[in-house]
């Protein structure tokens, strides 16, 4: 079956935008992967310094427990363990450093398909997302990790005639996994106002629906905290309570967005009504004008 020239032209017109989108997507992916790779190399070069920086909360915990922070000791039990720990740390740091570049590339890819008001509405959330992630990571670094490590250090047992000595000697890989899990957990939880605000703006969620589901949100917060955090009550409450607070912030943010949308809708209706009245007045004057 032969294809007519008209059909070929229609196929070419429909395929050209797809090819352009794929080329643009490839360009954005190259920029994102290139930025991540450069950040990965920089973080791997400073991996030991970064790891020592992450151990600072552990030192604070030893001070809280009345121990000597200068005697903090971590171990690794396999020859390659610390090397792969540095690789994981470099990937973690590279992703954090390159996130603004990656988010910008995502925004530039989807921005041409958005209306002007949609781009102006989306941009504040793009800025707020990394700020909230840093806030969650800071809470983990300055408060939550020292608290958790202090809880674990309190379980040590001094050796006496009646009992053996039990000391905490964490592995470098396990300590890094713990603090990375906490940072990602809190960072993602702190995105709750951003996600709910976006869903409210597009009409999928409402402040009333969020308020009605408050009880279920509290139960779900503790369930998620039990999965993401170490199995101790302090860490679970430490994640669940901020999640509940952020849920209340999300309800307040959704109400503010709904009020703003209502004001904009009322302003548009008044503008349309004024334009309609002016148009009717113009029609009336034109019909009453002498011929």
């Amino acid at each position: 079956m032969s294809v007519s020239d008209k059909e070929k032209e229609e196929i070419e017109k429909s395929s050209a935008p797809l090819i352009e989108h794929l080329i643009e997507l490839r360009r954005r992916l190259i920029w994102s992967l290139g930025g991540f790779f450069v950040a990965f190399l920089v973080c791997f070069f400073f991996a030991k310094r970064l790891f020592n920086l992450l151990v600072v909360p552990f030192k604070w915990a030893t001070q809280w427990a009345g121990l000597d922070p200068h005697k903090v000791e971590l171990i690794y039990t396999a020859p390659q363990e610390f090397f792969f720990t540095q690789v994981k740390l470099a990937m973690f740091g590279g992703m954090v450093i390159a996130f603004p570049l990656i988010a910008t590339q995502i925004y530039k890819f989807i921005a041409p398909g958005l209306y002007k008001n949609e781009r102006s509405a989306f941009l504040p959330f793009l800025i707020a997302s990394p700020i909230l992630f840093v806030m969650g990571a800071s809470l983990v670094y300055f408060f939550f990790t020292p608290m958790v490590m202090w809880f674990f250090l309190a379980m040590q047992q001094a050796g006496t005639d009646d009992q053996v000595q039990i000391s905490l000697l964490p592995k470098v890989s396990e300590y890094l996994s713990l603090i990375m899990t906490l940072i990602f957990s809190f960072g993602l939880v702190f995105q709750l106002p951003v996600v709910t605000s976006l869903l409210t703006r597009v009409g999928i969620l409402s402040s009333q629906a969020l308020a009605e589901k408050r009880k279920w949100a509290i139960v779900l917060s503790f369930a998620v905290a039990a999965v993401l955090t170490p199995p101790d009550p302090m860490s679970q409450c430490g994640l669940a309570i901020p999640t509940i607070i952020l849920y209340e912030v999300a309800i307040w943010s959704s109400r503010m967005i709904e009020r703003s949308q209502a004001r904009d809708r009322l302003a548009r209706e008044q503008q349309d009504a004024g334009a309609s009245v002016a148009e009717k007045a113009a029609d009336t004057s034109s019909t009453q004008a002498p011929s």
Side-chain angles (χ1 to χ4, degrees):
M1 178 183 295
S2 61
V3 181
S4 63
D5 295 337
K6 186 176 180 180
E7 291 176 346
K8 288 182 179 179
E9 185 178 354
E10 291 178 355
I11 293 173
E12 290 177 357
K13 287 182 179 180
S14 62
S15 62
L18 177 60
I19 295 175
E20 292 177 1
H21 288 318
L22 291 176
I23 293 174
E24 180 69 13
L25 178 61
R26 183 186 65 178
R27 188 156 66 96
R28 299 304 175 189
L29 286 175
I30 290 174
W31 274 102
S32 300
L33 292 175
F36 168 74
F37 183 69
V38 172
F40 169 81
L41 293 178
V42 173
C43 291
F44 185 77
F45 182 78
F46 295 102
K48 288 186 177 180
R49 295 183 182 181
L50 291 175
F51 190 84
N52 289 327
L53 187 64
L54 293 177
V55 176
V56 172
F58 190 13
K59 293 182 178 180
W60 294 339
T62 58
Q63 289 180 332
W64 295 357
L67 303 174
D68 186 4
H70 299 289
K71 294 184 179 179
V72 172
E73 183 179 358
L74 287 85
I75 63 172
Y76 60 97
T77 56
Q80 74 280 6
E81 181 179 345
F82 189 48
F83 171 77
F84 286 113
T85 299
Q86 293 181 72
V87 172
K88 289 174 61 178
L89 180 58
M91 293 179 64
F92 172 73
M95 182 59 67
V96 172
I97 294 175
F99 177 78
L101 174 63
I102 296 173
T104 302
Q105 296 303 314
I106 294 174
Y107 175 75
K108 287 183 177 180
F109 178 72
I110 65 175
L114 301 175
Y115 293 107
K116 184 177 180 181
N117 60 339
E118 292 175 339
R119 290 197 296 268
S120 61
F122 186 78
L123 189 58
F125 297 107
L126 187 65
I127 298 174
S129 181
I131 294 175
L132 290 173
F133 187 89
V134 170
M135 290 175 60
S138 300
L139 180 62
V140 170
Y141 186 85
F142 291 104
F143 175 73
F144 196 65
T145 301
M147 182 183 66
V148 171
M149 296 308 299
W150 171 78
F151 177 81
F152 291 147
L153 284 169
M155 296 181 178
Q156 293 185 123
Q157 178 176 283
T160 62
D161 295 336
D162 299 330
Q163 58 189 17
V164 298
Q165 169 130 7
I166 301 176
S167 301
L168 175 63
L169 291 175
K171 296 172 62 177
V172 291
S173 58
E174 293 176 351
Y175 179 80
L176 180 65
S177 298
L178 173 64
I179 196 168
M180 283 175 55
T181 301
L182 293 176
I183 288 175
F184 273 121
S185 300
F186 277 76
L188 292 177
V189 165
F190 270 66
Q191 304 303 310
L192 182 61
V194 174
V195 175
T196 54
S197 298
L198 283 173
L199 294 178
T200 301
R201 187 173 289 276
V202 299
I204 298 177
L205 280 179
S206 65
S207 59
Q208 182 180 358
L210 291 172
E212 291 174 352
K213 301 297 189 298
R214 182 182 283 110
K215 295 181 180 179
W216 291 103
I218 294 173
V219 175
L220 185 61
S221 299
F222 280 96
V224 172
V227 174
L228 295 178
T229 59
D232 63 274
M234 294 182 65
S235 59
Q236 293 174 8
C237 293
L239 179 59
I241 292 175
T243 304
I244 296 170
I245 295 174
L246 288 170
Y247 190 83
E248 296 298 328
V249 172
I251 295 175
W252 174 82
S253 176
S254 297
R255 287 173 179 167
M256 294 298 103
I257 291 173
E258 289 172 348
R259 291 175 184 175
S260 176
Q261 289 177 337
R263 287 194 298 266
D264 294 341
R265 186 165 52 251
L266 180 61
R268 286 195 302 268
E269 290 175 356
Q270 292 176 349
Q271 185 178 2
D272 294 341
S276 178
V277 171
E279 185 178 353
K280 289 181 180 179
D283 292 341
T284 302
S285 61
S286 63
T287 54
Q288 290 179 354
S291 57

